[in-house]
Amino acid sequence: MTDLPDAEPLIEVHENRDDLAVAVAGELVHRLVEAQADGGVPQIALTGGSVADAVHRELARLTVESEIGSEVDWSRVVFWWGDERFVEPASPDRNERLARELFLDQVDVDPANVHPMPSTESAESAEAGAAAYADELRTHGSGTFEIVMLGLGPDAHVASLFPGFPQLDADEIAVAVHDSPKPPPDRISLTLPCLNRARSVWFVVSGEEKAGAVALALADGTDVHDAPAAGVAGQAETIWFLDRAAASRL
Ligand code: 6PG
C-alpha cells in the first residue's frame, strides 16, 4: 500500500439526494471552467451507480440551462471510468451506457476524448480488458486525474474494489474482478494506486444504508481490506459529498 496524502478529508453534507447531485454537478462544472480558463484539458473519471446517474443528469441540465454550465467546453474534457461492469456494450448494466444516455450524449464531447472501459465485445476477458485499459491510460492519460468521482457501497466498496478482495493489493493500473458481491459479477476496476494519483477525489454518497460505511471509511485506522474507501485519497483534496442520511453516523 502506498501512503495516503496527509490532508484531512473535507465533508460536505446536503439535505437529500437531489440537493447532493445538484451540488456535486455544480462544483464539477465550476472546477472544469477554472481548469480550462488556464488552458488545461482536464481529465476526469466517472463512476457508476444511482448517485452517479443523478449527477450525470444534472450535469446535462446545467450545461443547457445555466450560465456556468454553458461555459464548460466539454470537447476539451477527457473522460475515463473508475470501474465498469464487464458485460456486452448494450447491456443496461453497463456504467458507460447510462453515462452516455444521461450526460455525454447531451453535451458536446469530443468522441476521441471519451475512454470507456472494454466490454465483452472488445476484450476476450476482464483480465485482457484491464490490461488494454491500462495501456490506453498510459497512452492517452496525463498520469493523473483532475477529479475522480466515486460512489460508495454499503460494504464500503469503491469503484469495483470490494472488502477482502485481492485486487486491493494490486499495484498495476487496472484489474479484473470476478464474483463481485454487487451484480453483475465480472468487472474491471482502476486500482487504489491509480485512483490515488488523482488531484481531487470526490466521494458522492446518499442514503441511510451507506451511513455505517461512511463512518467506517472515515474512522481513524480503518483497514483498507475492511473498507476499501479508506484507501482512497486525492493528492490535493478528498471531499465526501454526503446527504443527511449518509452522514447520520458521523
Ligand atoms: C458500480 C460502481 C460502484 C458504485 C457504488 C455505489 O459499478 O456499481 O461503480 O462502485 O459507485 O456501488 O452505487 P449506488 O450509488 O448505486 O449505491
Side-chain angles (χ1 to χ4, degrees):
M1 269 295 301
T2 43
D3 288 339
L4 293 180
D6 287 335
E8 281 290 309
L10 305 171
I11 299 171
E12 196 179 299
V13 183
H14 296 273
E15 199 50 43
N16 53 42
R17 194 163 90 165
D18 288 349
D19 288 2
L20 175 68
V22 167
V24 172
E27 187 61 28
L28 181 65
V29 154
H30 179 78
R31 297 287 183 100
L32 294 174
V33 168
E34 237 173 40
Q36 289 182 332
D38 295 340
V41 180
Q43 304 223 353
I44 66 172
L46 306 177
T47 187
S50 52
V51 187
D53 296 346
V55 171
H56 292 157
R57 201 174 279 119
E58 179 61 16
L59 283 170
R61 194 193 66 77
L62 276 180
T63 305
V64 179
E65 293 178 16
S66 77
E67 207 176 307
I68 180 88
S70 66
E71 284 173 31
V72 184
D73 180 353
W74 290 111
S75 71
R76 289 198 304 123
V77 178
V78 181
F79 299 92
W80 300 91
W81 270 264
D83 74 322
E84 183 55 278
R85 292 90 180 270
F86 189 64
V87 289
E88 50 184 57
S91 163
D93 276 337
R94 204 160 153 82
N95 290 336
E96 173 199 354
R97 192 178 135 161
L98 266 183
R100 285 194 190 272
E101 198 177 301
L102 299 174
F103 166 39
L104 300 172
D105 290 351
Q106 313 292 329
V107 302
D108 203 6
V109 299
D110 176 349
N113 284 340
V114 180
H115 299 277
M117 285 185 162
S119 67
T120 51
E121 203 172 274
S122 56
E124 253 178 31
S125 62
E127 283 73 10
Y133 205 62
D135 278 346
E136 196 164 330
L137 258 167
R138 271 185 221 104
T139 313
H140 299 286
S142 58
T144 179
F145 299 103
E146 188 64 25
I147 296 170
V148 167
M149 284 182 287
L150 294 168
L152 181 78
D155 56 356
H157 78 255
V158 276
S160 286
L161 301 171
F162 294 92
F165 273 51
Q167 291 83 0
L168 289 168
D169 296 305
D171 53 12
E172 50 264 61
I173 292 175
V175 281
V177 178
H178 301 289
D179 302 320
S180 155
K182 180 181 183 181
D186 299 314
R187 291 159 173 261
I188 296 173
S189 184
L190 298 185
T191 59
L192 292 175
C194 179
L195 293 169
N196 287 337
R197 272 181 228 148
R199 215 189 140 269
S200 302
V201 167
W202 293 1
F203 291 95
V204 187
V205 193
S206 158
E208 178 127 39
E209 70 283 9
K210 310 284 178 72
V214 170
L216 181 63
L218 282 166
D220 278 344
T222 295
D223 187 326
V224 67
H225 300 95
D226 297 331
V232 190
Q235 296 294 324
E237 68 172 13
T238 306
I239 308 182
W240 286 75
F241 292 95
L242 307 173
D243 67 6
R244 218 164 262 296
S248 61
R249 289 180 57 182
L250 289 180

